[in-house]
Amino acid sequence: MANSTEPQKPQNTKKNKKKGATLDTFYGAKIQNTEQTEDNIKENAPKPSKGNGNSPQTYEEFESEMTKKMEAFWEEKLEIMQKKFTHLQNQFDQTVKENQALKARIRQLEDNDRVKEQESIKQSQNTKKLEENIKYLTDKVIDLENRGRRDNLRIIGLPDKPEINTKLDMVIQDIIKENCPEILEQGGNTATDRAHRTPSTLNPQKTTPRNVIAKFQSYQTKEKILQEARKRQFRYKGMPIRVTQDLASSTLNDCKAWNMIFRKARELGLQPRISYPAKLTIYFQGKVWAFNKIEDFQLFAKKRPELCGKFDTENQRARNT
């Protein structure tokens, strides 16, 4: 009778060893050291059974099966990691494409900004040319208007009464007879084409008499009357009036801007005159000086000790107010 011998249990050869250092897995789990893991595998290995003589599962087969499971587990994890890596790679590629698109857009915007800047420079140059042309045309129109008024005289201070307004032509002849009769004696043509008051709509709040504009048939006669008016005060029936050249409103405003300086220059004996269109001339230190702008005259006065501080128009306006 054959002796049936039970396969001996694998002898447990545990030894008292210190536990090895743990290794953190991809998910943070701790795996014990290799020796302890092998001991656990041996303990859990199936025991051979009595019976029909079929060979039980051996330790090597169990170890092989566990190895396959471990390989399948890590293959699954590796596949997941590869998918995540592929997803990250796709995101990176998409980011690179978007970055390149943004760079192209920035270059396009920079090019557009450069083009717009060049267009803006050209537009500024065109605007400057237009402004220069407008100024030239405006000055031209004002000059033509002034030349169209070359036969006119402006009478200021004549009483605004109906009995005067209805016979202005006759009143003008009376003014000539009273103030410069020599023109009539010389046979000058003092006839006027027309005479009228300036419109009251320009300044309805104004209480002073409206000016009278008289257009003479003879330019020479008009000039003689104007020259006499510059020499002395004209009067009408004893009332003081002023006779000046009729000019465009803008030119008159430019002339009025000289009024304060003109009066002060007259007080100082500088023999001031307003030349056409609105130029101040004075006689100073044996020379005739001409100024087109008030700023030019003020700069001139500051450099002369005799005139410095006497033409401060800002202080004069402050005192008047």
Side-chain angles (χ1 to χ4, degrees):
M1 184 173 166
N3 294 331
S4 60
T5 60
E6 290 184 2
Q8 294 180 356
K9 292 182 181 179
Q11 189 174 2
N12 190 359
T13 58
K14 289 185 179 180
K15 296 179 179 181
N16 293 329
K17 296 182 178 181
K18 294 181 180 181
K19 292 183 180 180
T22 60
L23 180 66
D24 291 341
T25 62
F26 183 76
Y27 296 96
K30 294 182 179 180
I31 300 176
Q32 295 177 343
N33 59 44
T34 306
E35 293 181 358
Q36 189 173 356
T37 303
E38 290 179 354
D39 293 343
N40 291 337
I41 292 174
K42 291 178 182 180
E43 288 179 356
N44 296 328
K47 308 293 189 300
S49 59
K50 301 177 181 180
N52 53 10
N54 294 333
S55 61
Q57 185 180 21
T58 62
Y59 172 77
E60 291 77 8
E61 291 175 349
F62 174 75
E63 186 178 16
S64 175
E65 182 179 354
M66 293 298 296
T67 302
K68 290 179 180 180
K69 290 182 179 180
M70 292 294 293
E71 289 177 352
F73 172 78
W74 287 114
E75 285 178 358
E76 181 182 358
K77 298 301 180 184
L78 180 62
E79 184 178 358
I80 294 173
M81 292 175 63
Q82 287 177 344
K83 289 181 179 180
K84 290 184 177 181
F85 177 77
T86 303
H87 178 68
L88 292 174
Q89 184 66 37
N90 293 335
Q91 287 184 339
F92 176 76
D93 294 340
Q94 183 67 24
T95 303
V96 171
K97 291 179 180 179
E98 292 176 355
N99 188 27
Q100 292 175 350
L102 289 173
K103 288 181 178 179
R105 180 62 176 167
I106 290 172
R107 286 194 296 269
Q108 182 180 1
L109 291 174
E110 289 176 348
D111 294 339
N112 293 340
D113 185 64
R114 194 176 299 108
V115 171
K116 289 181 179 179
E117 184 177 359
Q118 294 175 354
E119 291 178 353
S120 177
I121 293 173
K122 292 180 181 179
Q123 189 68 26
S124 298
Q125 294 174 349
N126 293 334
T127 302
K128 185 177 180 180
K129 290 180 181 179
L130 287 174
E131 290 176 351
E132 291 175 353
N133 291 336
I134 290 172
K135 185 180 184 305
Y136 169 77
L137 293 174
T138 301
D139 294 341
K140 192 71 174 177
V141 169
I142 293 172
D143 181 66
L144 289 173
E145 183 178 357
N146 288 329
R147 292 181 184 276
R149 297 169 180 258
R150 64 194 300 268
D151 297 333
N152 296 358
L153 285 178
R154 181 180 290 261
I155 304 172
I156 304 170
L158 191 64
D160 194 351
K161 297 178 180 180
E163 58 271 20
I164 295 177
N165 296 339
T166 55
K167 51 179 183 179
L168 286 174
D169 292 334
M170 296 176 62
V171 170
I172 292 170
Q173 297 301 320
D174 293 339
I175 292 173
I176 296 172
K177 291 177 184 178
E178 184 177 351
N179 296 276
C180 46
E182 62 274 8
I183 296 176
L184 295 174
E185 294 174 358
Q186 295 172 2
N189 182 12
T190 59
T192 57
D193 283 339
R194 59 184 176 271
H196 61 86
R197 293 278 185 179
T198 55
S200 58
T201 54
L202 296 177
N203 189 359
Q205 304 296 329
K206 193 172 182 180
T207 57
T208 56
R210 293 176 294 164
N211 296 344
V212 174
I213 308 297
K215 180 177 176 59
F216 287 81
Q217 293 179 356
S218 172
Y219 172 77
Q220 290 77 13
T221 301
K222 188 265 319 182
E223 281 295 311
K224 290 179 181 179
I225 297 171
L226 186 60
Q227 289 174 6
E228 293 296 327
R230 288 170 177 167
K231 295 177 182 178
R232 59 182 180 274
Q233 177 72 59
F234 271 32
R235 294 181 178 275
Y236 173 68
K237 295 183 179 180
M239 294 181 297
I241 60 173
R242 189 157 61 95
V243 178
T244 63
Q245 174 67 47
D246 180 38
L247 297 170
S249 59
S250 58
T251 307
L252 287 175
N253 291 332
D254 293 339
C255 292
K256 289 179 181 178
W258 289 105
N259 284 349
M260 298 179 69
I261 294 175
F262 185 90
R263 289 195 295 267
K264 189 64 177 179
R266 178 179 288 176
E267 293 175 3
L268 296 175
L270 300 178
Q271 303 177 17
R273 288 189 60 184
I274 302 296
S275 303
Y276 178 82
K279 181 168 62 176
L280 175 70
T281 59
I282 62 172
Y283 186 78
F284 180 70
Q285 294 181 347
K287 295 181 181 179
V288 177
W289 304 82
F291 307 93
N292 292 317
K293 296 180 180 179
I294 295 177
E295 293 78 6
D296 296 338
F297 175 80
Q298 289 176 339
L299 183 62
F300 171 83
K302 287 180 180 179
K303 294 180 179 179
R304 272 73 182 175
E306 301 89 340
L307 305 178
C308 184
K310 297 180 180 180
F311 293 92
D312 192 350
T313 55
E314 296 296 331
N315 292 337
Q316 291 178 10
R317 289 196 186 98
R319 287 195 296 268
N320 293 336
T321 55

